[in-house]
Amino acid sequence: MNKVVEIARKSGLDGFMLALLSMILLAWLWPFPGMKESPVPLSEISTYAVSLIFFFYGLRLSPEKLRAGLVNWKLHTMVHLSTFVLFPLIALAFRPFFKSEEGETLWLAIFFLTALPSTVSSSVVMVSIARGNIPAAIFNASISSLLGVFITPLWLGLVMESGAEHFDLFSVVGKLSLQVLLPVSAGIMLNKRWGHFAETNKKYIRYFDQSSILLIVYTSFCESFGENLFSALGLKDIVFLGIGMLALFFGIYFLLIFISDLLDFSREDKITTVFCGSKKSLVQGAVMAKVLFPGPQAGVMLLPIMIYHALQLIAASILAQRLAQEPLQQEEDRIIVKN
């Protein structure tokens, strides 16, 4: 138990996830400050904060890193096919099991999760712990975030246009481009001048990132609780959702291991593939939920990604620690055999 607690602490799971849960509880107890009727425009403030998040992210991403990552195209293709094709196809396969109106809403929230890009920081951290291909991890996680601006709305547009919902794809992509791509591009262009500042102060920038996500989660759930959108979801539904998210993570993880073996990936590339290709970004989820689902529905849409985010950190941390011991164990075995 102490080892699990220590792993969770190292992954940053304990403090931030506790704060996320506190924001949901606060939104349930006191939703008015985050609603449209509030005199303090918290939702608009969070929108500007998100743009700053991606500006600082671009500030730490040098053009040299992007160019260096273009070489290993098989690995990159596998990661992005998993992130943007395999995940959504699995969700589409389970759509017939969500037939009721409440079930359709929950399925849409799950599908939204599967269409999101990979997370950046935790993917790179897990690859580093497991001794994988770190430059490739940085490249894939970075490109995934940029591709998500276009691919995630495209997937949601295809699904929602086939149903009763109206979806303006070009408007959504335009908003996300202004809110995500423009700040990232500005940060990349200013990398040579201010990149060192961003790297030196990355600890404080991370605190700002997390505070902004907490604000987005709070305002989103305020609207949802205010409109009683969670009234149809009971504890049993949340438990089954958690089990489903854990099954989704391990299903993708072991499938990527199988495919990596078929493609004869090196150990380092296999580790990068499974960790970058099985993760989903809470940051992008929070941002896109505000754009794709304006109003009280955003809180419901964030529920699966928040559960998946917590579970992926726990599971990936444990797996990364185990993988980190493999080369050491193999070396010890060779020494024993020689002696």
Side-chain angles (χ1 to χ4, degrees), residues 253-272:
Y253 180 87
F254 287 114
L255 184 57
L256 288 176
I257 288 179
F258 175 72
I259 297 174
S260 297
D261 287 336
L262 288 180
L263 295 175
D264 198 26
F265 280 3
S266 66
R267 178 188 179 277
E268 291 76 13
D269 286 353
K270 184 192 300 184
I271 288 172
T272 303

Side-chain angles (χ1 to χ4, degrees), residues 168-180:
D168 189 347
L169 177 62
F170 294 104
S171 174
V172 167
V173 170
K175 289 179 181 178
L176 287 174
S177 296
L178 287 174
Q179 200 168 356
V180 177

Side-chain angles (χ1 to χ4, degrees), residues 10-40:
K10 287 181 180 180
S11 68
L13 178 63
D14 51 358
F16 184 53
M17 286 308 302
L18 182 62
L20 280 174
L21 294 174
S22 300
M23 289 298 102
I24 298 175
L25 178 62
L26 182 61
W28 178 57
L29 295 173
W30 194 31
F32 178 73
M35 299 182 70
K36 293 180 180 178
E37 294 80 7
S38 172
V40 181

Side-chain angles (χ1 to χ4, degrees), residues 3 68 70 114 136 147 151 171 192 219 229 232 255 279 326-327:
K3 185 177 181 180
L70 289 172
T114 63
L147 291 175
I151 298 177
S171 174
K192 287 187 177 180
T219 54
L229 292 188
L255 184 57
K279 308 290 281 299
E326 282 187 356

